[in-house]
Amino acid sequence: MTDTSNDIATQSVLYEKKDGKAYITFNRPDKRNALTYAAFDRVMDLLADAERDDDIRVVVFRGDGGHFCAGHDLAEVGSEYGFDPSGKGRRPSQRARLNFDRRHLQQFRDLLYCSKPTLALVRGYCVGAGLHVVEACDLAIASEAARMGHPEQKAGLAGAAYMTAWNIMAAGPKKARELLLIANVLAPQEAVQMGLVNKVVPDDQLEAAGEEWADRITGLPRDAIAIGKAAAHMALDSLGMTSQFTHGYVMHALSTNIRYEEDEYNFMKQRREKGVRAATHGRESRFGKDAGEPEAGSAA
């Protein structure tokens, strides 16, 4: 059987370069731009291309079809560790979990430490891994239609997120714990208060606001941009931010191997028995509401 995952990834992540700007566009509107792992690999390849291109001075992330990104495709989650879909095989080993999470978390580190300024333009759903992309960007502008959060934490993570240290630095310890433990999906003004985005604009002005900021960055000297990014990286290191890329993958691998008691909601089991949509709705109903999270969902 021919492996078409790379072809699908190419179609689901578009790339354009013009006037000193590189645009990485999530293009899977039927799944609210949920990312497969192959698509995320493509994102990182495109980011590396932008870094190599001396004419590119800013990288802009955006989503097509009314949403930024609904996170990882929940239909894939688990396969990265080697789960048996039937649920009858052996559980994935700790080394399989650790090896995959270490590699994947390195991708978010590479985005955070990109040598070019990065800007996210957010509308619609931006949850799970989609929000991790925004957290790793230098700047973010949200439209009034944006809805942001980490609802995947309610699937059994409860705070073992990839960017926990960043969340604490941006929002403060109490608000970061609220973001990851209560795991509500936030309206854009709440996202500003959490330090997730810089500002909110009317939905029909999002692209123009993004272009204005991108143009201002492209007006800066190349060396000044590079030195400014290096200074930011040094500051993040001095605050201990590098350590999150170690504890992040260790804690995520550990949290995906928890034991569920009989009275606890096991998302992976429910997904296997009832499908992604029913499992996602069941997760939300478990916590007293069904917020209508996208079925493509997110799993940090």
Side-chain angles (χ1 to χ4, degrees), residues 5-16 23-27 35-50 52 59 61 103-104 107:
S5 59
N6 289 332
D7 292 337
I8 295 173
T10 300
Q11 297 167 7
S12 62
V13 183
L14 306 181
Y15 190 48
E16 181 184 5
Y23 299 88
I24 296 177
T25 304
F26 305 133
N27 181 47
L35 291 171
T36 64
Y37 291 111
F40 210 94
D41 287 343
R42 173 167 164 77
V43 169
M44 302 314 297
D45 289 341
L46 299 178
L47 187 66
D49 179 88
R52 289 190 297 267
V59 182
F61 287 88
R103 176 184 178 275
H104 191 39
Q107 294 178 316

Side-chain angles (χ1 to χ4, degrees), residues 35-261:
L35 291 171
T36 64
Y37 291 111
F40 210 94
D41 287 343
R42 173 167 164 77
V43 169
M44 302 314 297
D45 289 341
L46 299 178
L47 187 66
D49 179 88
E51 288 192 280
R52 289 190 297 267
D53 190 335
D54 195 46
D55 289 331
I56 297 301
R57 303 186 190 187
V58 61
V59 182
V60 180
F61 287 88
R62 58 192 183 181
D64 190 28
H67 297 280
F68 183 74
C69 176
H72 286 128
D73 188 336
L74 283 179
E76 272 196 348
V77 171
S79 63
E80 73 276 24
Y81 295 141
F83 274 111
D84 181 348
S86 71
K88 298 178 181 178
R90 296 181 67 189
R91 300 178 68 181
S93 66
Q94 294 289 9
R95 60 189 178 276
R97 297 171 191 271
L98 288 167
N99 286 339
F100 183 89
D101 279 331
R102 179 168 57 86
R103 176 184 178 275
H104 191 39
L105 191 56
Q106 182 68 38
Q107 294 178 316
F108 289 104
R109 182 191 184 281
D110 289 346
L111 175 54
L112 182 69
Y113 283 76
C114 176
S115 62
K116 305 289 177 74
T118 48
L119 168 64
L121 304 181
V122 183
R123 64 161 43 94
Y125 278 111
C126 174
V127 295
L131 184 49
H132 284 320
V133 170
V134 173
E135 291 164 345
C137 283
D138 293 300
L139 302 168
I141 303 173
S143 89
E144 293 174 336
R147 294 296 179 268
M148 308 174 73
H150 282 297
E152 81 283 352
Q153 293 292 310
K154 291 179 284 191
L157 299 174
Y162 283 152
M163 302 281 286
T164 303
W166 187 95
N167 291 129
I168 291 173
M169 182 182 71
K174 296 293 187 185
K175 298 303 284 185
R177 288 296 288 152
E178 177 185 339
L179 178 70
L180 300 175
L181 188 59
I182 305 303
N184 286 334
V185 174
L186 308 175
Q189 290 296 347
E190 295 177 283
V192 172
Q193 296 170 8
M194 290 282 198
L196 300 175
V197 298
N198 295 90
K199 67 176 181 177
V200 180
V201 298
D203 188 64
D204 62 357
Q205 297 178 24
L206 180 62
E207 285 76 15
E211 284 298 298
E212 179 188 357
W213 276 18
D215 285 340
R216 292 175 69 171
I217 293 171
T218 58
L220 297 168
R222 291 174 175 81
D223 274 358
I225 291 172
I227 292 170
K229 285 293 308 226
H233 297 166
M234 292 176 68
L236 290 173
D237 282 347
S238 73
L239 294 169
M241 287 292 291
T242 303
S243 66
Q244 79 173 358
F245 298 106
T246 300
H247 69 66
Y249 87 83
V250 173
M251 296 310 298
H252 187 273
L254 183 62
S255 67
T256 60
N257 198 31
I258 66 173
R259 184 180 73 179
Y260 289 93
E261 306 300 340

